[in-house]
Structures are given as C-alpha cells and as structure tokens.
Amino acid sequence: MAVKKIVFQGEPGANSHLACREAYPDHEPLPCPTFEDCFSALTAGEAALGMIPIENSVAGRVADIHHLMPTSKLHIIAEWFLPIRNQLMAPKGASLKTIKSVESHVMALGQCRRIIRELKLKPMVAADTAGSAREVAESKDITRAAIASRLAAEIYGLDILKENVEDETNSTTRFIVLSREKKWAAPGNGKVVTTFVFRVRNVPAALYKALGGFATNGVNMTKLESYMVGGNFFATQFYADVEGHPDDRALVFALEELAFFSKEMTVLGVYPAHPYRDTFKEDKE
C-alpha cells in the first residue's frame, strides 16, 4: 500500500516539515516551493493532505493563504499549533565570533531581532528558513549563519551556535490541515471550530448587522480578518473562525443572520479544536 503524502511549503527542515512529522507521522512529507504549488499538488491528487501555516502569535497572519483558500475548493479538516524554536546555526568550524551575517525567512529574522543586534549580524532575507540553512551549509563559509529549526541543522549538517534565539518564548504558529475531501467534525463530540469566508452587501452598517447574530446567540468569534478582493478598495472579504458546529442551535441562527446581510458566504471547514487552544484562555476578572 502506497504511503500517503502531506505537502508543505518550503524545503526539508522547515517548521512546516516539523509540523507534518508531529501531526501526521504516518504520512510522507512532500516539500513544495510555494503555497500555490502546495494547493496545486493537493488539487491534482499528488498528496492526501496539506499542512499550511495561517498565522503566528508574534508575526501575525501569513500572506496569501486567505486569498488562496476561498477559490481552492479545498477543505480545512484539522488545525495544528507548533511552538517555534529558532536555532542560530553555521557551518562546521564557525563560532559566534566568526559569523558576520545571518540568513532566514523575514518572519524568523523578525522574531530574533535581539540576538541579531547583540551579535551585530547583517540580516539577509531568504525565501524560507530551511532554504537558508541549506545555502549556508553549501557555502561552507564560517562568516555566514542561518536561523532555522533544529531539524534543518540535522538535515544539512550545521552546528547550532546558540539555541532558542527567539525574542518571545510564546511564539507559536497555527497551521490548518487541508484536504480535497469535505470532512466535517461530528457535532457533540468535543470543542469544534468553524471557519468561513463572507462578503457583506454594500449597505450602511452591513458588517455590524451581519455579526450581530453571533453576539445575540452567544457564539464566540475567535478570529475576524478583512482583506481586499481583486485589488479593489471597495470589495472586501472577511475570514472568520468561531467556536461551535453549524448544527448547534446558536450557530444555526447566527449564520442565518450573517447570510441575510452577506452577498456570499462559504464554510471552509468544521474541525476539532486543537488542545493547545486551552492554554490561551483569557483570564476573567
């Protein structure tokens, strides 16, 4: 029986690769250069699942994903949270005294500003963390360093000069798991997240009215983001996560009200809430 594959964006050793190994150890990770390539591979049936980062607790949302999701016809079937641990690495023979520059993805560089300033390193933006590790390894240049995962250091034979160099210890990336098959979580079987996109009608207070049903029905909205569609300032689409299942009575009413004030509304996935969500509950005063 053929091993099922799971696609991720980046090179071997990327944080997305790490997420694949943790969440689906029975699937073979398949690297893709871009997010578009990931979506294409999934649509074409080259892989069963896709592990796609959607936001980071420090750096914010990952660009492109919100634009790609609504038109992809793919479904969110799960979520995964990965605490980000960045390692400062360099070729054999290098030390903290020999390195002059550091290469990584722009988000990773942004998460590690303190060590970069402290060591007076020149930051160099690369396509992704693992790719920068590979290029630094190939260069064998002891003045070049990379910031990437421990897995990348193992794969490319780099020495870790300083461990866990991120500024914030609570940096966590949230991933969504995509599939061609629609697979909604069963109702009444633990906490569930429903993700959907919608566009409100161009009338006064449309967004306020569209979201009113969530408040009056006691539905907790954990995420709401807007982004422009097709480069138009007036065409705005919203991406939302709410707690609950579309079969729950409260969410049925809330979505009915949303649909009434929206031009279009599409549910992208109904999936189990990851246990990590319980760690960031807000204190009630």
Side-chain angles (χ1 to χ4, degrees):
M1 183 177 166
V3 178
K4 288 184 177 179
K5 295 181 179 180
I6 179 168
V7 290
F8 67 92
Q9 186 277 324
E11 299 198 29
N15 284 311
S16 296
H17 184 184
L18 203 53
C20 290
R21 291 212 319 185
E22 286 186 5
Y24 295 92
D26 57 336
H27 283 58
E28 179 188 331
L30 179 65
C32 287
T34 67
F35 289 122
E36 286 89 345
D37 293 328
C38 289
F39 279 67
S40 296
L42 269 172
T43 304
E46 295 167 22
L49 301 174
M51 181 69 73
I52 305 295
I54 195 158
E55 58 195 332
N56 175 270
S57 59
V58 175
R61 79 178 181 193
V62 178
D64 299 338
I65 304 308
H66 297 71
H67 293 282
L68 292 168
M69 271 304 302
T71 56
S72 69
K73 295 188 171 63
L74 296 172
H75 305 274
I76 304 172
I77 63 161
E79 64 177 354
W80 189 260
F81 288 83
L82 180 75
I84 301 301
R85 299 291 174 260
N86 290 306
Q87 318 300 325
L88 180 66
M89 57 193 71
K92 307 287 181 189
S95 70
L96 292 177
K97 291 180 179 177
T98 68
I99 57 175
K100 305 294 182 194
S101 64
V102 61
E103 302 164 37
S104 196
H105 185 274
V106 65
M107 272 196 173
L109 292 172
Q111 291 165 12
C112 305
R113 290 190 182 97
R114 195 176 298 132
I115 189 71
I116 294 171
R117 280 199 307 269
E118 184 185 310
L119 297 176
K120 296 181 172 62
L121 300 175
K122 181 181 180 182
M124 312 280 285
V125 176
D128 60 68
T129 54
S132 66
R134 176 182 55 75
E135 289 181 6
V136 165
E138 288 170 354
S139 76
K140 297 184 172 62
D141 183 346
I142 61 170
T143 69
R144 291 173 67 180
I147 289 173
S149 70
R150 191 175 296 276
L151 178 59
E154 289 172 20
I155 290 172
Y156 301 113
L158 293 170
D159 284 346
I160 294 176
L161 304 183
K162 201 165 179 61
E163 297 182 327
N164 304 339
V165 294
E166 59 276 354
D167 296 345
E168 306 278 346
T169 55
N170 62 350
S171 176
T172 302
T173 295
R174 177 181 174 234
F175 294 82
I176 51 175
V177 181
L178 301 182
S179 169
R180 287 185 308 284
E181 312 300 324
K182 178 180 172 181
K183 184 182 167 188
W184 282 15
N189 190 25
K191 294 178 183 175
V192 168
V193 177
T194 295
T195 296
F196 54 91
V197 289
F198 65 97
R199 283 177 65 182
V200 292
R201 288 194 266 145
N202 193 15
V203 295
L207 180 60
Y208 174 80
K209 292 172 181 173
L211 298 182
F214 295 95
T216 54
N217 289 288
V219 175
N220 187 26
M221 182 170 283
T222 58
K223 182 183 182 70
L224 178 66
E225 290 196 340
S226 65
Y227 56 100
M228 292 171 193
V229 181
N232 294 314
F233 282 100
F234 57 84
T236 304
Q237 187 146 280
F238 294 89
Y239 181 105
D241 291 339
V242 296
E243 292 178 354
H245 194 285
D247 289 349
D248 295 347
R249 191 166 180 270
L251 193 48
V252 167
F253 291 144
L255 290 175
E256 277 179 1
E257 203 159 327
L258 175 77
F260 183 78
F261 292 103
S262 298
K263 286 175 71 173
E264 53 190 66
M265 193 275 285
T266 306
V267 174
L268 300 178
V270 179
Y271 47 95
H274 191 277
Y276 187 85
R277 283 180 176 269
D278 291 334
T279 68
F280 53 79
K281 292 293 183 190
E282 200 168 32
D283 292 332
K284 292 181 180 177
E285 294 182 3

